């Protein structure tokens, strides 16, 4: 499979993730969509690293993975705390703040 | 990695060690009770770390470029570090009274504040897109947690969730931008980007990177999170994030646009001018209709992000100087304004409506005076630092022949005078509502005195700071 196909695939995955964040209302699904976006980025990094023959892109994938994991830790902690108080994780129900 | 590398990064290292020491100290003194003691030990430790970092920041390292060319501590890094440390130091002084009153965990709070400052400084020291990305994440993760730190407040939890989801969304755009720039240029090294031919792929990459930084800086149209998060987060956390996120984001903008891509300025300048104009108009007009002070200051911070973007959109030494000067002054005046709010309490809650300020002059004349001074400075009127800072930026816009940009900036500043002076007038007149009580706190008093003195000093004697910042700009040419 040639590089342009990998790049197109990751662009499509990234777009899917973006749509997911904008359209879905459950905080958990929004989270999953963000993870999808980050992993699409990883695919792009690996493809370009292969094309360019360097390791920079492959190393950065590890950083992105760690960052994504840390994000999930903080996010789930907050979501669990909100769920305890309200029994819902729907972002539309989380509406004490205007806007 | 060698000792010399570690020496170059000594301010960040000191802050990191101080943050870990604060966590350990807090765990040691708290013990199994899980309730932080009321003493201010953690705060003093954090303050000592910040003071040591300020000291180390004053001495330029022997070899500015470190860690295999990924990190640089030049004059620009020093100026960014100064702004970040000033903001952090004043925040640490502002916080203990509030943390005690609302029983927030002091150890975690100070450690997160210090970690976040490290992230902002790293963004200013980035010579590689990977470092810029890590700096952005180290800056923003503690801020998400700080926003949600009041675990018993539902508003705070919502603010944390909203900030995290939108922040992560922005981050995804940022790394995708990094990936595309890497694909177009074959390198992550910012100093080698200048010689790369401009291709559509590079353009898209830089645009996505800008979206990510725009989320962090709260530029329109990526500002939607700011008012809600500012309103819901605990007051000292709001004050801190309003300053440190701007410092980090604009350090990133400086490293990417004027420094790494000077040759392509014709292409990105027009886009940034448009974003700056939209941000200034949107932020200032929305601020006109706010009755909640935290929301008002949120829209004001959006407007100020627009002003600072002028310095990026008008490439050249004048713009860079303007941004650095503005960051330092903004840190001082914004924290001064939030500091007065921290003193007020309405029946065991935050007093954050404009009406709550009424009659403050009669009860706490000094606090009311500092608030009025900071409002005058935020509005950009003489004899304050805000005036000089805006002057530099508007002059940079004119020098770069962005007449429309300068015109919009001046007109929106005039609009902003109305809502800032409305706040100042509320504090200086009227009779105090019974429900609101101003608290006394020595550390907040010191912080407010520092902020007030800074605002006046940068306004009446701007030459000291200007000279420091000018060195930063000259070293880059």
């Amino acid at each position: 499979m040639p590089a342009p196909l990998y790049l197109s695939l990751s662009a499509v995955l990234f777009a899917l993730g973006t749509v997911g964040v904008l359209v879905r209302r459950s905080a958990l699904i929004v989270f999953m969509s963000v993870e999808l976006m980050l992993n699409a980025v990883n695919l792009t990094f690996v493809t370009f690293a292969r094309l360019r023959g360097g390791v920079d892109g492959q190393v950065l994938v590890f950083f992105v993975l760690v960052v994504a994991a840390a994000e999930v830790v903080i996010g789930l902690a907050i979501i669990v705390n909100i769920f305890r108080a309200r029994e819902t994780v729907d972002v539309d129900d989380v509406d004490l703040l205007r806007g | 990695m060698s000792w010399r590398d570690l020496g170059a990064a000594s301010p960040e290292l000191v802050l990191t060690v101080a943050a870990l020491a604060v966590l350990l100290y807090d765990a040691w003194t708290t013990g199994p009770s899980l309730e932080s003691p009321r003493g201010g030990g953690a705060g003093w430790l954090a303050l000592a770390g910040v003071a040591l970092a300020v000291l180390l920041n004053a001495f330029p390292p022997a070899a500015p470029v470190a860690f295999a060319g990924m990190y640089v501590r030049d004059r620009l890094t020093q100026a960014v570090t100064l702004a970040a440390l000033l903001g952090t130091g004043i925040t640490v002084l502002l916080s203990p009274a509030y943390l005690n009153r609302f029983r927030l965990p002091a150890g975690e709070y100070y450690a997160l504040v210090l970690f976040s400052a490290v992230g902002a400084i790293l963004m200013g020291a980035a010579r590689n897109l990977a470092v810029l990305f890590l700096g952005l994440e180290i800056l923003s993760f503690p801020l998400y947690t700080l926003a949600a730190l009041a675990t018993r407040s539902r508003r705070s939890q919502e603010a944390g969730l909203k900030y995290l989801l939108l922040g992560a969304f922005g981050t995804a755009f940022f790394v995708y931008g990094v990936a595309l720039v890497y694909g177009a240029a074959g390198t992550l090294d910012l100093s080698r980007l200048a010689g790369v031919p401009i291709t559509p792929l590079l353009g898209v990459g830089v645009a996505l990177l800008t979206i990510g930084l725009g989320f962090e800086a709260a530029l329109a149209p990526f500002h939607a999170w700011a008012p809600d998060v500012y309103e819901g987060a605990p007051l000292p956390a709001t004050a801190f994030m309003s300053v440190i996120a701007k410092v980090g984001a604009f350090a990133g903008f400086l490293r990417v646009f004027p420094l790494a891509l000077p040759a392509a300025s014709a292409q990105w300048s027009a886009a940034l001018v448009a974003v700056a104009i939209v941000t200034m108009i949107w932020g200032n007009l929305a601020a006109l209709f706010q009755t909640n002070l935290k929301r008002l200051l949120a829209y004001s911070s959006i407007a100020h992000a627009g002003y600072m973007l002028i310095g990026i959109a008008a490439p050249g030494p004048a713009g860079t100087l303007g941004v650095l000067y503005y960051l330092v002054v903004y840190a001082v005046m914004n924290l001064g304004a939030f500091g007065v709010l921290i003193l007020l309490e309405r029946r065991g809650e935050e007093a954050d409506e404009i009406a709550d300020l009424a009659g403050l002059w009669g009860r706490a004349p000094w606090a009311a005076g500092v608030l009025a001074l900071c409002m005058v400075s935020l509005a950009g009127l003489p004899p304050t630092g805000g005036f000089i800072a805006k002057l530099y930026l508007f002059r940079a816009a004119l020098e770069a022949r962005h007449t429309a940009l300068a015109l919009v900036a001046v007109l929106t500043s005039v609009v902003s005078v109305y809502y800032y002076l409305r706040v100042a007038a509320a504090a200086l007149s009227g009779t105090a509502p019974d429900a609101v009580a101003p608290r006394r706190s020595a550390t907040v008093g010191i912080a407010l005195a520092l902020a007030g003195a800074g605002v006046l000093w940068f306004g009446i004697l701007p030459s000291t700071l200007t000279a420091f910042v000018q060195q930063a700009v000259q070293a880059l040419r």
Side-chain angles (χ1 to χ4, degrees):
Chain A
M1 206 160 121
L5 281 182
Y6 285 114
L7 293 178
S8 321
L9 173 65
S10 64
V12 169
L13 286 177
F14 191 85
L16 274 178
T18 311
V19 172
V21 171
L22 296 176
V23 172
R24 297 305 292 262
R25 295 273 64 112
S26 160
L28 285 172
I29 306 271
V30 171
F31 239 115
M32 280 168 55
S33 303
V34 170
E35 296 299 309
L36 188 63
M37 293 168 82
L38 288 177
N39 281 314
V41 172
N42 282 342
L43 188 58
T44 314
F45 268 124
V46 173
T47 312
F48 278 131
R50 185 69 184 268
L51 267 179
R52 295 274 173 185
V55 292
D56 299 23
Q58 307 204 11
V59 172
L60 212 62
V61 168
F62 285 97
F63 284 110
V64 175
L65 285 178
V66 172
V67 161
E71 216 157 60
V72 169
V73 169
I74 300 175
L76 287 185
I78 298 175
I79 289 175
V80 167
N81 216 357
I82 289 185
F83 184 75
R84 271 196 195 142
R86 312 204 47 179
E87 307 257 307
T88 173
V89 289
D90 195 320
V91 273
D92 280 346
D93 293 342
V94 180
D95 55 359
L96 278 177
L97 300 166
R98 290 162 278 170
Chain B
M1 193 173 70
S2 68
W3 287 108
R4 186 169 284 179
D5 290 346
L6 294 180
S10 55
E12 290 95 321
L13 285 177
V14 164
L15 289 180
T16 312
V17 171
L20 296 175
V22 165
L23 277 180
L24 280 178
Y25 171 86
D26 188 63
W28 190 269
T29 49
T30 305
S33 69
L34 290 182
E35 186 87 9
S36 281
R38 295 182 72 84
W44 291 115
L45 255 176
L47 199 62
V50 172
L52 189 56
V54 169
L55 205 65
L56 288 170
N57 182 45
F59 302 104
V65 177
F67 297 103
M70 296 183 86
Y71 175 101
V72 59
R73 176 156 282 279
D74 52 15
R75 293 278 183 176
L76 185 118
T77 317
Q78 281 181 291
V80 170
T81 311
L82 179 75
L85 290 177
L86 211 57
T88 313
I90 298 180
T91 304
V92 170
L93 282 173
L94 284 177
S95 307
Y98 185 94
L99 297 181
N100 278 341
R101 209 185 320 144
F102 291 92
R103 300 192 158 273
L104 296 186
E108 282 93 326
Y109 175 84
Y110 291 115
L112 288 168
V113 164
L114 293 178
F115 281 135
S116 188
V118 170
I121 297 172
L122 265 183
M123 286 185 83
R127 205 161 170 273
N128 188 301
L129 283 169
V131 177
L132 196 63
F133 168 59
L134 285 182
L136 180 68
E137 297 309 294
I138 299 173
L139 164 70
S140 42
F141 282 4
L143 290 183
Y144 307 150
T145 320
L146 279 172
L149 199 66
T151 43
R152 274 159 292 193
S153 153
R154 278 192 358 210
R155 281 176 21 154
S156 167
Q157 296 304 303
E158 279 188 35
L161 183 66
K162 236 170 209 174
Y163 198 6
L164 176 85
L165 289 178
L166 286 170
F169 190 52
T171 303
F173 281 102
F174 184 86
V175 263
Y176 200 41
V178 172
L180 295 186
V181 169
Y182 173 66
T187 176
L188 292 166
D189 194 336
L190 281 169
S191 61
R192 298 223 312 259
L193 276 190
V196 169
I198 298 157
T199 55
L201 188 62
L202 184 71
V204 174
V206 171
L208 289 172
L209 221 126
T210 312
I211 293 178
L213 288 174
F215 263 106
E216 193 64 35
L219 293 167
F222 315 112
H223 67 282
W225 58 271
D228 285 353
V229 173
Y230 277 39
E231 190 188 355
L235 248 174
T238 308
F240 181 64
M241 77 175 70
S242 75
V243 168
I244 205 75
K246 295 275 186 291
V247 173
F250 280 96
F253 271 121
L254 282 176
R255 285 285 173 205
V256 172
F257 287 104
L259 298 181
L261 297 163
S265 66
Q267 277 91 339
W268 48 257
S269 184
L272 291 186
V273 165
V275 174
I277 287 178
V278 172
T279 309
M280 287 187 290
I281 293 176
W282 199 317
N284 279 309
L285 288 187
L288 282 176
F289 307 104
Q290 303 304 322
T291 54
N292 181 297
L293 255 172
K294 277 165 118 181
R295 284 184 87 82
L296 186 144
L297 285 171
Y299 282 111
S300 130
S301 91
I302 294 168
H304 283 277
Y307 293 130
M308 281 187 257
L309 197 63
I310 294 175
I312 313 284
T320 308
L321 178 123
V323 173
L324 290 175
Y325 196 92
Y326 210 105
L327 279 177
V328 175
V329 173
Y330 176 77
V332 174
M333 62 190 181
N334 219 34
L335 285 173
F338 273 109
V340 176
L341 287 190
I342 288 176
L343 279 181
L344 298 178
E345 180 184 340
R346 192 205 309 130
R347 297 208 182 94
E349 285 184 19
E350 292 175 357
D352 55 4
E353 299 290 326
I354 293 179
D356 294 337
L357 287 172
L360 189 64
W361 176 253
R363 295 159 141 193
W366 283 103
V370 171
L371 181 70
L373 189 66
C374 288
M375 286 298 152
V376 168
S377 183
L378 283 166
L381 300 173
T384 57
F387 171 70
I388 306 281
K390 272 190 181 158
L391 198 65
Y392 282 141
L393 282 177
F394 296 177
R395 210 169 55 188
L398 286 177
E399 271 176 27
R401 309 218 168 275
H402 289 309
T403 322
L405 182 63
L407 201 67
V408 172
V410 171
L411 288 178
T412 51
S413 295
V414 173
V415 171
S416 77
V417 170
Y418 168 72
Y419 63 83
Y420 286 127
L421 291 193
R422 192 163 57 114
V423 175
L428 296 179
S429 62
T431 51
D434 292 330
V436 180
R439 301 279 154 186
R440 295 198 182 282
S441 157
T443 52
V444 176
I446 295 170
L448 288 183
L450 273 177
V455 165
L456 278 179
W457 188 38
F458 296 144
I460 296 167
L461 298 166
S463 51
T464 39
L465 183 59
T466 313
F468 180 74
V469 175
Q470 230 153 17
Q471 280 179 332
V473 177
Q474 267 162 3
L476 299 171
R477 267 184 279 177

